[in-house]
Amino acid sequence: MDESVTTAVAAPDAERRVQVFSLRLAHCMKVAGLDAGAVAEATGRSEKTVEGWVFRCRKVPPAPTVRRLSKLFGVPVDEVSGLKGRCRALDASRLRGAVGPDWDGALGEVLGLEPGLLRAMGSGLLPVPDQLARRVAAAAGIDPGKVMEPRLFDGTDPGVIDDAVSRIRTSSTDLTGGQVMRLMDALDEWFAHSSVVVVDIRPKGVA
């Protein structure tokens, strides 16, 4: 499974999106502990169809089915469908502080998961089902509401985002490339539901 993780970061063209959907579905089923029968019952499809999505998927299921999968796993629709390249991640920094530098290995042993899978979910390469997020929080001894990386902008007031963009533009030279990309990911979702003009917040030297 670890060897396939890199497929989740490729551009979501039609063929790649199918691969990403199949990978993420298989991953969600595995870490949430759900078999094809449970997924079939939740989506109203047959077990054979669910198995086809995992092993020989040729196209992403219709939107209503993807929404049912999203609800079943507690993962955003665009992450399940493969439309979003980066998933919302486990808060690796918080987990490192709570468990130690080898947080992925320690939690992997407790949860019965490969450390590589936890690292991938801590990097946003794979989605984190609600069921697993709760298990990770319990194993790490932290608040379930704080196990995922913080959402940088939850508000819907355009003034909030305008102020944030202004601050970022005046101090962005202090941000690393990774931090800027996380900010841009967070802003993408907000901009999709607003009329604010998108600005380039990348510091000099960041491609």
Side-chain angles (χ1 to χ4, degrees), residues 40 47 75 108 126 133 147 152-154 166 174 189-191 193-194 203 206:
E47 287 188 38
V75 170
L126 288 170
V147 73
L152 297 176
F153 305 105
D154 285 321
S166 174
D174 296 327
E189 183 175 357
W190 194 93
F191 284 130
H193 304 288
S194 76
V206 176

Side-chain angles (χ1 to χ4, degrees), residues 3-203:
E3 296 178 355
S4 302
V5 165
T6 52
T7 65
V9 298
D13 57 38
E15 182 178 355
R16 181 62 66 182
R17 185 184 165 202
V18 170
Q19 295 174 356
V20 171
F21 164 76
S22 184
L23 167 67
R24 290 182 178 177
L25 174 61
H27 163 74
C28 287
M29 289 172 63
K30 176 178 180 177
V31 299
L34 298 177
D35 60 16
V39 176
E41 183 177 352
T43 58
R45 308 300 290 269
S46 69
E47 287 188 38
K48 184 177 180 180
T49 296
V50 174
E51 290 170 355
W53 293 338
V54 173
F55 297 109
R56 50 189 177 277
C57 192
R58 295 182 179 178
K59 65 178 182 178
V60 177
T65 300
V66 174
R67 286 195 293 270
R68 294 188 190 103
L69 289 170
S70 169
K71 183 177 181 180
L72 174 64
F73 294 114
V75 170
V77 169
D78 56 1
E79 291 184 16
V80 175
S81 66
L83 284 174
K84 194 172 183 67
R86 184 184 183 279
C87 304
R88 191 179 179 209
L90 289 171
D91 192 335
S93 296
R94 186 179 296 276
L95 292 171
R96 194 175 293 113
V99 181
D102 185 32
W103 67 272
D104 50 335
L107 291 178
E109 187 173 345
V110 173
L111 300 171
L113 294 173
E114 298 92 335
L117 281 182
L118 288 168
R119 285 196 300 274
M121 287 183 279
S123 301
L125 296 180
L126 288 170
V128 184
D130 281 346
Q131 301 94 321
L132 179 67
R134 290 192 293 269
R135 291 177 61 206
V136 170
I142 62 178
D143 184 336
K146 297 180 179 179
V147 73
M148 301 295 288
E149 64 179 0
R151 290 191 182 278
L152 297 176
F153 305 105
D154 285 321
T156 56
D157 177 4
V160 173
I161 211 74
D162 286 337
D163 181 62
V165 169
S166 174
R167 291 170 185 270
I168 291 167
R169 294 181 68 184
T170 59
S171 61
S172 61
T173 54
D174 296 327
L175 298 175
T176 66
Q179 289 172 324
V180 170
M181 294 310 295
R182 288 181 64 184
L183 283 168
M184 292 179 75
D185 283 343
L187 287 167
D188 279 346
E189 183 175 357
W190 194 93
F191 284 130
H193 304 288
S194 76
S195 59
V196 177
V197 176
V198 179
V199 296
D200 190 343
I201 65 171
R202 293 173 294 186

